[in-house]
Amino acid sequence: MTDQAGASPAGERRPATVEGVLERITYANEENGYTVARVDTGRGAGDLLTVVGALLGAQVGESLRMEGRWGSHPQYGKQFTVENYTTVLPATVQGIRRYLGSGLVKGIGPVFADRITQHFGVDTLKIIEEEPKRLVEVPGLGPKRTKKIADAWEEQKAIKEVMLFLQTVEVSTSIAVRIYKKYGDASISVVKNQPYRLAADVWGIGFLTADKIAQSVGIPHDSPERVKAGLQYALSQSADQGHCYLPEERLIADAVKLLQVDTGLVIECLAELAEPDEDSGEPGVVREKVPGEHGEQVTAIYLVPFHRAELSLSAQVLRLLRTEEDRMPAFRDVAWDKALGWLKRRTGTDLAPEQEAAVRLALTEKVAVLTGGPGCGKSFTVRSIVELARARKAKVVLAAPTGRAAKRLAELTGAEASTVHRLLELKPGGDAAYDRDRPLDADLVVVDEASMLDLLLANKLVKAVPPGAHLLFVGDVDQLPSVGAGEVLRDLLAEGGPVPAVRLTRVFRQAQQSGVVTNAHRINAGQHPVTDGMKDFFLFVEDDTEEAGRLTVDVAARRVPARFGLDPRRDIQVLAPMHRGPAGAGTLNGLLQQAITPGRPDLPEKRFGGRVFRVGDKVTQIRNNYEKGENGVFNGTVGVVTSLDPVDQRLTVLTDEDEEVPYEFDELDELAHAYAVTIHRSQGSEYPAVVIPVTTGAWMMLQRNLLYTAVTRAKRLVVLVGSRKAIGQAVRTVSAGRRCTALDFRLAGR
């Protein structure tokens, strides 16, 4: 260890240098690289030094030369604050063995590290660097593994170079890896010369990160390139909030606030963006007049994919409605009394008049919508439609936006059902194997949980429905709209629109006995839920937000499993109104993991940023990745970690679609823990029991359709934890304003 330290007589902390081996990372913030770690400085006696600061990309087992300053923490004592560091390759056999055995190089664990260093001694790293083919001399290392180790060594060196360059702009380790995987040897050149490309090309880099990089490489604050990227970012942010377009004035105001530049410059750059690009011939945005929320004309600014999808979806729906072809002509003049009599004998149950109307509608109209709340018989109506269609030998295709919803649809109908993504066989880039030129082989397509369909996915789906086939959307329009942009189900149901619909309103007697169903309808009607004397609906009152968070964990991990015999991982889902805060999904996930899947010394785990992944963890995918799994893995897919291999740097997730999906350790920013999820992310899923923290800490998020959606996710049991005041706020507050979409206007042909 070297230590050119010492405080000056005046107490000023002077620069110092420390060398040591990184033993473990206690905490790492993936967003800014801030790390708390323990370093072995070689003093012996097991003494480890605490170091904090910019250790972006440093790996356990590496020898580091760190520059910084000494200091003292009131709780943790003496520590060294790192301002920058370089990696120093270890020089002793023991150091090399430890370095290689740390899992730093994919394919080498402690066993092979021992064998390799025994064979090559202090020349080990030189051999891997200059003559990697010689690794085959080591017992057990064949040509295949040797090549894998050599490739991993080269890639790690290249990524490290990119990381050290990006360290000055505080880009996270995982982002540096993504940049390298996207651009390879051109990474540093792209970052220096075209930083705003990163926001479009690399998942996980938004405009704000690209802007920080751009500033550090000297791109001017008022550069047109920056302003155009900022405008497109503002539109993509609004799409993340559900809008298909923004009114021009609102976009300009948002961009001025974001970019801190003159309004005139923003207006100029917006005009340029709306013109075709010299290279691609495509505009960056589309400008069009559409009716606003109150019927007034507004100038709408769309990102190109959303404009195309809205035009295409409306055209495809109208095409299906107007075609003369009919792939189920038998239902045009069917004897309904006989058909419904046969159905009753088959199912043993009469259809209510509303249900009967829905059955007729789905089997005679080319496009139809069935909506209604819980307990109103949507499921039985769908089963009846499918039974009658199959009795006439129709080819029925069933789909839902999520794996859980598709499973439920299959169980209900006794027929195969799949996710929309799998049905269409979406490919890398998002293109579908089935579209207008190669339609699905179907006479009737039923899409359940249609409130979850966003504009882009709905467009892909409707394109693939063949002319003459019948398309039925089934969903609860009072639930939260889709996570992605658009309000497709609501727009299809718009008053005066061309799509026929039936709304089921009668709650069946059996369902009336359920506190879950009763209270869902009370909440939807703006009434406070009844919690006294219910066997399946409870309230634990706790006004303090932090205490409510802790109580939520206790209820989900211990009390409900003990009382109802439910598995806390498989059967119980915590649904939080928001991600942040002491009762938010982020904090609750950490606490629930400690309670349900605690760390064990004998089991491997992987720390990634602020999260730790363990075998048995409940996780969810947080982006669409068309290249993972058999047909892609999509945002919202839930699964359980079934294996974790520190040597091959990979963990495996068994998804709720029963598919085993491997994740490299550098892909773990695509996964989040799912012991607790936001209510938005729970759409389309159903759980035996849900626990919902409803606290004043989430005040701005508390809305009627949010609480209604959470309650309707439960099959058997709901437990609310929080304050009566917060529940009252949620019940009273109707969500403010519609999303900016023009699909209803296009469908109506106005």
Side-chain angles (χ1 to χ4, degrees):
M1 167 193 165
T2 59
D3 181 356
Q4 300 133 23
S8 68
E12 177 196 342
R13 289 180 185 147
R14 285 165 47 196
T17 303
V18 169
E19 286 187 12
V21 176
L22 184 58
E23 283 292 322
R24 69 173 178 270
I25 292 172
T26 310
Y27 168 81
N29 184 323
E30 274 297 304
E31 296 305 312
N32 58 23
Y34 178 81
T35 304
V36 179
R38 302 279 279 161
V39 170
D40 183 353
T41 56
R43 284 181 168 164
D47 281 353
L48 296 179
L49 169 68
T50 298
V51 298
V52 300
L55 282 170
L56 178 72
Q59 304 283 335
V60 171
E62 286 185 318
S63 297
L64 307 177
R65 180 179 289 124
M66 298 162 287
E67 294 173 6
R69 297 171 193 274
W70 288 100
S72 183
H73 188 280
Q75 188 176 346
Y76 303 111
K78 186 179 179 185
Q79 60 184 32
F80 187 74
T81 299
V82 181
E83 288 162 2
N84 55 62
Y85 79 93
T86 52
T87 304
V88 186
L89 291 177
T92 66
V93 171
Q94 185 186 358
I96 293 166
R97 185 189 299 121
R98 198 154 155 217
Y99 174 67
L100 289 177
S102 66
L104 182 72
V105 181
K106 197 183 290 186
I108 304 181
V111 173
F112 277 114
D114 196 41
R115 286 188 200 170
I116 294 168
T117 49
Q118 271 188 25
H119 190 82
F120 294 115
V122 290
D123 292 332
T124 295
L125 299 181
K126 188 179 173 190
I127 297 291
I128 296 174
E129 173 82 34
E130 296 173 9
E131 302 175 83
K133 287 182 179 173
R134 283 191 58 195
L135 288 171
V136 293
E137 297 171 18
V138 177
L141 279 185
K144 198 172 174 184
R145 190 181 275 267
T146 296
K147 184 178 185 314
K148 191 175 168 187
I149 291 169
D151 290 347
W153 180 266
E154 283 304 312
E155 182 176 85
Q156 184 216 268
K157 259 176 49 190
I159 290 172
K160 184 70 77 178
E161 188 185 346
V162 174
M163 279 178 181
L164 290 173
F165 170 71
L166 292 174
Q167 193 172 340
T168 55
V169 288
E170 297 184 340
V171 173
S172 74
T173 313
S174 57
I175 296 297
V177 170
R178 286 188 186 281
I179 290 172
Y180 176 75
K181 287 194 168 178
K182 179 71 182 175
Y183 303 116
D185 294 340
S187 296
I188 291 173
S189 168
V190 170
V191 169
K192 278 183 177 172
N193 302 313
Q194 301 169 284
Y196 291 107
R197 260 183 75 184
L198 301 173
D201 292 353
V202 182
W203 179 76
I205 295 190
F207 170 79
L208 298 179
T209 303
D211 198 36
K212 196 194 291 184
I213 294 170
Q215 285 175 40
S216 73
V217 298
I219 288 179
H221 187 70
D222 59 355
S223 150
E225 182 191 1
R226 176 175 184 264
V227 176
K228 288 176 189 175
L231 280 161
Q232 289 178 308
Y233 169 72
L235 282 172
S236 69
Q237 283 289 96
S238 73
D240 289 345
Q241 291 157 13
H243 300 297
C244 298
Y245 69 81
L246 276 185
E248 186 172 39
E249 288 177 10
R250 183 166 152 194
L251 173 61
I252 290 167
D254 286 356
V256 168
K257 188 176 173 185
L258 169 74
L259 299 164
Q260 298 291 299
V261 294
D262 291 341
T263 304
L265 178 59
V266 171
I267 292 169
E268 264 176 54
C269 290
L270 181 56
E272 284 178 34
L273 265 179
E275 295 295 322
D277 179 73
E278 284 179 20
D279 297 327
S280 67
E282 295 279 354
V285 298
V286 174
R287 184 189 248 133
E288 186 187 355
K289 293 273 188 194
V290 300
E293 194 176 345
H294 306 294
E296 76 287 7
Q297 286 284 297
V298 298
T299 302
I301 310 293
Y302 286 84
L303 287 171
V304 173
F306 295 104
H307 185 256
R308 281 193 183 143
E310 207 171 76
L311 286 176
S312 168
L313 177 56
S314 57
Q316 302 298 337
V317 168
L318 293 172
R319 171 181 69 94
L320 290 174
L321 279 167
R322 291 168 182 166
T323 182
E324 291 298 313
E325 290 179 62
D326 192 344
R327 294 181 62 136
M328 293 201 297
F331 290 101
R332 281 185 193 165
D333 49 9
V334 74
W336 283 105
D337 288 348
K338 281 187 178 177
L340 295 170
W342 173 87
L343 185 66
K344 183 182 177 180
R345 289 192 297 278
R346 179 122 174 125
T347 62
T349 309
D350 267 321
L351 287 170
E354 288 175 338
Q355 293 176 305
E356 190 180 310
V359 169
R360 290 187 185 216
L361 193 72
L363 296 172
T364 56
E365 295 284 354
K366 305 293 172 44
V367 184
V369 176
L370 170 61
T371 188
C376 293
K378 279 199 310 294
S379 297
F380 185 69
T381 307
V382 170
R383 182 183 157 196
S384 301
I385 291 164
V386 171
E387 290 276 8
L388 282 169
R390 289 167 78 190
R392 292 286 178 150
K393 303 288 185 283
K395 290 175 183 167
V396 180
V397 168
L398 305 171
T402 66
R404 279 174 181 257
K407 255 186 186 171
R408 197 170 66 241
L409 186 59
E411 287 162 8
L412 165 75
T413 58
E416 194 179 328
S418 68
T419 63
V420 176
H421 297 94
R422 284 187 185 281
L423 174 67
L424 300 178
E425 293 179 17
L426 290 180
K427 305 291 181 199
D431 292 329
Y434 293 94
D435 55 20
R436 190 168 176 175
D437 297 327
R438 187 197 173 198
L440 296 162
D441 183 14
D443 303 321
L444 170 65
V445 178
V446 179
V447 188
D448 200 8
E449 294 287 356
S451 62
M452 289 186 68
L453 281 179
D454 62 52
L455 175 67
L456 299 182
L457 186 59
N459 177 45
K460 288 184 171 77
L461 172 66
V462 177
K463 257 192 214 174
V465 178
H470 293 225
L471 172 61
L472 175 66
F473 294 100
V474 183
D476 185 346
V477 76
D478 293 323
Q479 286 182 21
L480 288 168
S482 56
V483 174
E487 272 188 297
V488 173
L489 187 62
R490 192 177 293 277
D491 285 341
L492 289 168
L493 285 164
E495 203 175 324
V499 180
V502 168
R503 181 169 191 141
L504 304 179
T505 56
R506 178 188 153 199
V507 181
F508 285 89
R509 188 179 300 147
Q510 189 181 349
Q512 287 171 2
Q513 295 162 11
S514 158
V516 176
V517 171
T518 301
N519 280 325
H521 285 280
R522 285 182 66 85
I523 290 164
N524 204 28
Q527 298 169 343
H528 207 283
V530 176
T531 55
D532 292 336
M534 291 282 182
K535 293 178 181 175
D536 59 355
F537 203 104
F538 300 91
L539 168 63
F540 285 82
V541 176
E542 177 51 70
D543 291 334
D544 181 79
T545 300
E546 206 162 316
E547 281 302 320
R550 283 196 278 270
L551 182 54
T552 298
V553 172
D554 190 45
V555 166
R558 285 176 276 275
R559 297 194 196 191
V560 171
R563 169 128 179 226
F564 294 95
L566 296 174
D567 183 295
R569 191 184 288 109
R570 187 186 62 241
D571 301 328
I572 302 165
Q573 184 63 56
V574 174
L575 301 179
M578 57 197 289
H579 183 76
R580 292 198 174 104
T587 301
L588 294 178
N589 263 317
L591 296 172
L592 285 160
Q593 184 193 35
Q594 285 172 28
I596 297 169
T597 319
R600 281 172 37 191
D602 57 324
L603 287 180
E605 56 182 42
K606 172 61 183 172
R607 181 175 291 279
F608 188 89
R611 299 195 288 271
V612 177
F613 290 95
R614 299 180 182 127
V615 171
D617 269 339
K618 187 175 179 179
V619 292
T620 181
Q621 173 82 8
I622 57 173
R623 68 172 286 227
N624 287 346
N625 187 333
Y626 298 95
E627 297 180 19
K628 290 204 83 60
E630 209 175 305
N631 288 113
V633 180
F634 301 96
N635 189 358
T637 299
V638 174
V640 173
V641 177
T642 52
S643 69
L644 194 152
D645 187 336
V647 175
D648 282 339
Q649 299 181 20
R650 177 183 296 141
L651 62 75
T652 304
V653 173
L654 179 65
T655 72
D656 53 10
E657 294 173 54
D658 297 323
E659 182 181 8
E660 289 210 322
V661 180
Y663 288 80
E664 303 295 319
F665 281 176
D666 60 28
E667 296 176 311
L668 293 183
D669 54 352
E670 294 190 18
L671 284 179
H673 290 103
Y675 299 99
V677 297
T678 61
I679 295 166
H680 275 91
R681 291 191 71 82
S682 74
Q683 286 170 264
S685 295
E686 198 176 62
Y687 315 96
V690 300
V691 181
I692 311 163
V694 188
T695 68
T696 51
W699 195 258
M700 299 303 292
M701 295 293 293
L702 296 177
Q703 294 175 353
R704 187 180 300 168
N705 62 351
L706 190 84
L707 185 56
Y708 174 72
T709 299
V711 168
T712 56
R713 299 306 86 213
K715 278 196 283 196
R716 289 167 46 194
L717 176 69
V718 170
V719 183
L720 303 180
V721 180
S723 73
R724 295 185 194 277
K725 184 180 176 184
I727 293 167
Q729 166 73 359
V731 168
R732 279 192 310 274
T733 308
V734 179
S735 61
R738 288 285 309 276
R739 293 179 168 188
C740 295
T741 112
L743 179 62
D744 54 347
F745 150 73
R746 299 184 198 283
L747 285 169
R750 294 196 291 269

